[in-house]
Amino acid sequence: QVQLVEFGGGLVQAGGSLRLSCTASGRAFTSYAMGWFRQAPGKEREFVAAISGYGNYPYYSESVKDRFTISRDNAKHTVYLQMNSLNPDDAAVYSCAASDSDCSGSGCYVKYDYWGQGTRVTVSS
């Protein structure tokens, strides 16, 4: 069973930055896609970013592209989400997810099989 634990959420002013991290345990880490999702109150969960197993293919939603950066350290079994230029629309519970598959070079259309408990990001205006 894969366990995912997120860290790094909190309160930040608009325009500020936060870095989220997610550490995985319970199986091999490399070769599997990892993703970040978020859910704001009253809204459905939405995709934020994903990264291929070896970290060479990152993918982003249009709403965060050019502001957020996903990366991973396979030696530490950890995936990161660097969030810059945050605005109130970015406020949500952010969850990381792990897949039993990997992204391809043309996209990251994988099913996510494991989820973390989430970490809350609050952005004050």
Side-chain angles (χ1 to χ4, degrees):
Q1 184 71 15
V2 177
Q3 291 85 41
L4 303 173
V5 181
E6 300 101 335
F7 300 94
L11 172 64
V12 64
Q13 286 189 330
S17 299
L18 278 177
R19 188 174 84 153
L20 306 181
S21 61
C22 170
T23 300
S25 61
R27 68 150 190 207
F29 186 69
T30 309
S31 302
Y32 300 108
M34 296 291 294
W36 284 98
F37 291 76
R38 67 186 182 186
Q39 187 168 21
K43 295 186 177 181
E44 293 190 355
R45 184 170 61 197
E46 65 171 340
F47 169 80
V48 175
I51 190 166
S52 59
Y54 285 91
N56 46 338
Y57 296 117
Y59 303 90
Y60 301 94
S61 69
E62 284 300 316
S63 62
V64 307
K65 194 176 181 181
D66 299 328
R67 297 188 298 123
F68 291 11
T69 302
I70 188 170
S71 62
R72 63 192 294 162
D73 184 335
N74 286 343
K76 296 182 178 179
H77 285 208
T78 300
V79 62
Y80 304 97
L81 185 68
Q82 177 66 43
M83 305 185 294
N84 298 329
S85 302
L86 286 161
N87 61 64
D89 290 337
D90 296 315
V93 174
Y94 285 71
S95 300
C96 74
S99 175
D100 282 334
S101 305
D102 200 3
C103 310
S104 68
S106 60
C108 198
Y109 308 106
V110 298
K111 174 178 173 289
Y112 291 93
D113 305 282
Y114 311 98
W115 295 82
Q117 81 288 350
T119 185
R120 184 173 300 278
V121 172
T122 304
V123 184
S124 63
S125 57

